Amino acid sequence: FKTDKKRNRVVYRNWPRDPNGAMLSTTSGKSADGGLTIWGASLADFFYTQVIPKNPEFWTISTSSKLLQFSQKTKGEKRLAALQIAEARREEDPVETLPFPMENIIRDYD
């Protein structure tokens, strides 16, 4: 991979779909503050998955929490993605991480 002072991350997991399943619909999974609509606790929580199972040309990247919600309400999806569903149920919730207070650094330096 080429690195131009940027981090490159690669989605490496696949969420299987029922070959006769419905088109993937938008669901509201876990999200972080600041307008991020797609969130995962780690890179392992991002998946390639088929939007329309009967058409193998349409793929998207989604998160375990979004795909978990879709799988729970869609018939036939639970059986094929049993391992992914079990892992998605254990995914951590988003946590706000506050920056270190600069005044502590200045005070400690003085």
Side-chain angles (χ1 to χ4, degrees):
F1 290 98
K2 185 177 175 186
T3 58
D4 325 332
K5 299 182 184 177
K6 290 184 185 179
R7 288 185 176 185
N8 293 309
R9 293 179 175 88
V10 177
V11 175
Y12 60 91
R13 299 188 73 192
N14 184 357
W15 188 288
R17 296 283 319 278
D18 178 0
N20 299 313
M23 182 172 147
L24 185 65
S25 62
T26 304
T27 58
S28 59
K30 295 177 182 179
S31 62
D33 290 339
L36 293 174
T37 58
I38 187 165
W39 181 88
S42 72
L43 189 55
D45 293 309
F46 290 85
F47 293 86
Y48 283 109
T49 192
Q50 290 180 290
V51 178
I52 305 169
K54 289 187 178 185
N55 189 336
E57 296 175 16
F58 294 109
W59 289 79
T60 191
I61 295 174
S62 192
T63 62
S64 58
S65 61
K66 288 180 177 261
L67 293 166
L68 173 63
Q69 280 193 350
F70 176 79
S71 296
Q72 287 179 330
K73 66 181 185 178
T74 308
K75 184 180 178 183
E77 299 288 339
K78 293 178 191 175
R79 180 180 52 82
L80 290 169
L83 175 64
Q84 290 84 351
I85 288 171
E87 290 175 0
R89 288 187 175 128
R90 293 188 302 269
E91 180 187 23
E92 298 173 20
D93 290 329
V95 177
E96 182 179 11
T97 304
L98 299 173
F100 189 81
M102 291 303 292
E103 70 245 14
N104 291 2
I105 296 173
I106 294 168
R107 188 175 354 134
D108 292 344
Y109 183 77
D110 289 340

